[in-house]
Amino acid sequence: MTIETKIQIEVLKRLEKEKSLSWYAKDEKWVYITTNGYYGIRISKYKFFLNCAFMKPMQAMVSHFSSDQLIESYELTITDEIRNIGAGTGVILRCKKFDTCIRSKILKKIFKKKCKLYSKDNKSSIYFVLNGEIYAVVMPVYISKKESGLC
């Protein structure tokens, strides 16, 4: 099952239980959707099957998927390091300049083979890029410099 389908099924389950806890935005080719504000994903209109009338509009989400976001960003490497973070675990992502952290559950859900991860710094959004285009944006989990191993 594709990531796009899984996310839409998750939205349907939330709509069934909690009414409207999902947000969306549209442009000519894509629908952008988030279920919780921690991550957003871009879905081609021809693969999108939900009725947006039950979700809240958030047009500002489109700007997060602009390739301009990758300017001055650093490519991240997924490490084997796991941190306990509140409710769950986080995976440390690393580049030459900084470490950042992402929720393990989200990484597992939206990671695609051969995608590359980018971020501007340890507090900035993390961009999931495939074939030169951003398909998902994730907010990092804050880790202190002491926790990250950097001094």
Side-chain angles (χ1 to χ4, degrees):
M1 186 181 310
T2 67
I3 292 169
E4 293 85 352
T5 303
K6 288 178 186 177
I7 298 298
Q8 291 180 82
I9 290 169
E10 182 180 328
V11 171
L12 281 173
K13 287 178 183 176
R14 285 175 173 258
L15 285 171
E16 199 173 81
K17 292 180 186 172
E18 305 159 8
K19 305 255 179 197
S20 181
L21 281 180
S22 301
W23 295 265
Y24 79 98
K26 291 182 181 182
D27 66 20
E28 292 178 15
K29 296 164 102 178
W30 305 98
V31 176
Y32 307 84
I33 192 163
T34 182
T35 59
N36 57 18
Y38 292 120
Y39 69 92
I41 192 161
R42 183 177 76 171
I43 301 172
S44 174
K45 277 193 175 178
Y46 76 87
K47 291 183 178 180
F48 191 78
F49 57 79
L50 295 176
N51 180 351
C52 291
F54 299 103
M55 293 180 274
K56 299 174 185 174
M58 186 195 296
Q59 198 58 32
M61 196 180 342
V62 176
S63 64
H64 294 290
F65 290 82
S66 164
S67 60
D68 293 345
Q69 299 293 338
L70 299 178
I71 297 171
E72 297 182 18
S73 290
Y74 299 94
E75 186 171 349
L76 302 169
T77 303
I78 300 171
T79 70
D80 293 335
E81 296 177 48
I82 304 290
R83 294 287 191 314
N84 287 326
I85 50 166
T89 60
V91 175
I92 301 295
L93 306 175
R94 183 166 287 143
C95 74
K96 293 178 185 178
K97 302 251 183 198
F98 60 87
D99 287 357
T100 190
C101 185
I102 187 173
R103 295 176 191 277
S104 301
K105 189 175 180 179
I106 293 174
L107 180 64
K108 184 179 177 183
K109 183 184 293 188
I110 65 173
F111 186 79
K112 292 183 179 183
K113 287 183 182 179
K114 298 187 181 183
C115 84
K116 295 183 179 185
L117 283 63
Y118 295 90
S119 186
K120 293 181 182 181
D121 59 46
N122 65 328
K123 296 180 183 176
S124 296
S125 301
I126 299 164
Y127 303 97
F128 286 66
V129 179
L130 191 61
N131 299 325
E133 292 194 22
I134 299 170
Y135 73 87
V137 178
V138 178
M139 293 305 299
V141 175
Y142 177 73
I143 53 171
S144 69
K145 287 186 179 184
K146 183 179 176 184
E147 289 174 315
S148 71
L150 297 176
C151 296

